[in-house]
Amino acid sequence: MASQQRLTLAHYRTPLTNDWCPGCGDFGILASIQMALAELQIPPHKAAIFSGIGCSGKLPHFVNAYGIHTVHGRPLPFAIGAKLANPSLTVIAVSGDGDGLGIGAGHFVNAGRRNVDLTYIIHNNEVYGLTKGQAAPTMRLGMKTKALAKPNINDAVNPVALAIVSGYTFVARGYAYDTRHLKELIKQAIQHKGTALVEVLQPCPTYNDVHTKEWYGGEDRIDPATGKPIPRIYKLEETGYDGVVKTGSEEEVIEKKARAIAKAYEWGDRIPIGVFYVNPFVPSYEERIAKLAPSYLQAPPALQPIRTRSLKPAADITPFLEELLIR
Ligand code: SF4
């Protein structure tokens, strides 16, 4: 590719056939990621996308970048490892709500403590779509979809609130059918220096017949004055809400977190999307490592030679292996 060539959406598409159900919110998330990469002019060979298991797990197949379809609940450890090995990569991890907040919940929480510079996108459709619509950890207590024999008897995890208390330094929520807005959130998340969470409300037309595109759009409640639906989704930025920490003081951080968590629980009549919380004052994990090992950012593992001029392994791991010997 010529170095001057302007990258367009076409550069981020793959020839693979997409097998998501018609109307699935995954299409909007995929398009938003591709648009964000194109608008930021991130070359495909400088981006890596990691996924776990579930319908969302197929997403890296359809983005022309490094794509790694990992194991259930584990995209974050792979993504963190790749970013720490090669900090020049743009790293994105994607999970479904079941993948990221069920089996992967421990990784979700501990990623917040580290603040590695990556973007984590959670597809939230409240169901395990790939395995026929069982209740996922984001489904509310008492909710009954067509795929459930009885109403759900577990309470729900709130991804935005959990991210904030876990230490994520950029926390946002988007909507899969508003790709222009979601693309902007993903761009901001990629540009943020630290771990960024973007929860995406992603209707599953096949198994979630309660929180549908029509429900989010308010088509069940018509404004008598205009004759139009009253949408449930609204944008935080249009209300004057500002979740960005400006001074880094402990009082301000606590106050901004508390406001963001309260907003995260707004649900039902009005559902906010947008940026809930940003704290640019927390050092990234890469910066913390560089403090301990000053050469790290100039010579991260991916840039270190793996063999000598005489083709011998550059690193002698014998002492490490000897430590593991049972004598
Ligand atoms: Fe999308 Fe649901 Fe179909 Fe999975 S089962 S591809 S989440 S519509």
Side-chain angles (χ1 to χ4, degrees):
M1 187 190 306
S3 59
Q4 298 303 317
Q5 187 181 9
R6 183 157 180 86
L7 296 161
T8 66
L9 253 185
H11 290 102
Y12 301 93
R13 292 192 178 124
T14 67
L16 297 177
T17 306
N18 204 313
D19 59 355
W20 287 320
C21 308
C24 176
D26 284 340
F27 290 101
I29 300 174
L30 170 64
S32 302
I33 291 173
Q34 290 167 322
M35 287 193 287
L37 291 171
E39 289 189 17
L40 293 174
Q41 291 292 288
I42 296 168
H45 72 281
K46 298 297 283 182
I49 305 189
F50 298 79
S51 66
I53 299 300
C55 298
S56 65
K58 300 173 190 168
L59 189 140
H61 300 222
F62 312 123
V63 182
N64 181 33
Y66 289 112
I68 302 92
H69 191 160
T70 74
V71 289
H72 203 3
R74 305 294 186 270
L76 274 178
F78 285 88
I80 288 170
K83 182 68 184 182
L84 294 182
N86 185 355
S88 72
L89 280 180
T90 293
V91 171
I92 298 173
V94 295
S95 272
D97 39 21
D99 189 60
L101 294 159
I103 189 171
H107 296 299
F108 183 104
V109 168
N110 285 286
R113 297 171 49 228
R114 300 192 181 99
N115 203 31
V116 175
D117 183 12
L118 58 82
T119 298
Y120 190 26
I121 297 174
I122 291 270
H123 300 219
N124 181 3
N125 57 21
E126 303 163 281
V127 298
Y128 286 89
L130 194 69
T131 52
K132 306 273 184 266
Q134 298 88 345
T138 48
M139 185 182 280
R140 281 156 184 78
L141 177 63
M143 188 166 151
K144 160 93 177 67
T145 63
K146 65 180 176 185
L148 299 180
K150 303 268 185 197
N152 178 31
I153 58 169
N154 292 300
D155 211 340
V157 171
N158 184 312
V160 164
L162 185 62
I164 290 166
V165 298
S166 300
Y168 284 67
T169 49
F170 178 101
V171 183
R173 180 193 286 151
Y175 179 50
Y177 291 106
D178 188 343
T179 51
R180 203 170 288 179
H181 183 258
L182 180 55
K183 172 252 302 177
E184 289 302 327
L185 293 179
I186 294 171
K187 279 168 64 183
Q188 289 178 55
I190 289 173
Q191 289 173 310
H192 174 74
K193 290 277 166 257
T195 307
L197 175 85
V198 183
E199 176 201 2
V200 186
L201 303 174
Q202 178 239 323
C204 166
T206 302
Y207 293 114
N208 189 337
D209 57 336
V210 178
H211 295 150
T212 58
K213 183 180 171 202
E214 292 72 25
W215 183 82
Y216 282 114
E219 291 183 24
D220 56 325
R221 47 186 202 170
I222 303 297
D223 184 342
T226 63
K228 291 186 176 160
I230 306 170
R232 289 183 165 83
I233 300 261
Y234 74 94
K235 297 186 175 110
L236 281 173
E237 59 271 27
E238 291 175 357
T239 66
Y241 176 92
D242 180 3
V244 180
V245 174
K246 303 288 192 318
T247 67
S249 73
E250 199 176 346
E251 298 78 33
E252 188 198 7
V253 168
I254 292 169
E255 188 259 329
K256 289 261 160 70
K257 283 188 173 184
R259 278 182 55 209
I261 290 169
K263 274 281 165 210
Y265 278 98
E266 223 177 290
W267 186 261
D269 280 350
R270 279 168 61 76
I271 302 171
I273 59 172
V275 177
F276 285 73
Y277 176 76
V278 185
N279 186 346
F281 294 93
V282 180
S284 69
Y285 203 61
E286 296 88 313
E287 289 167 335
R288 297 177 209 175
I289 293 174
K291 267 199 173 163
L292 296 173
S295 64
Y296 165 67
L297 289 175
Q298 287 73 45
L303 295 186
Q304 290 178 20
I306 59 170
R307 60 173 168 77
T308 64
R309 296 178 81 171
S310 55
L311 303 183
K312 297 250 168 54
D316 179 8
I317 61 169
T318 315
F320 168 71
L321 293 177
E322 277 175 356
E323 271 184 35
L324 300 177
L325 272 179
I326 299 170
R327 296 176 197 279

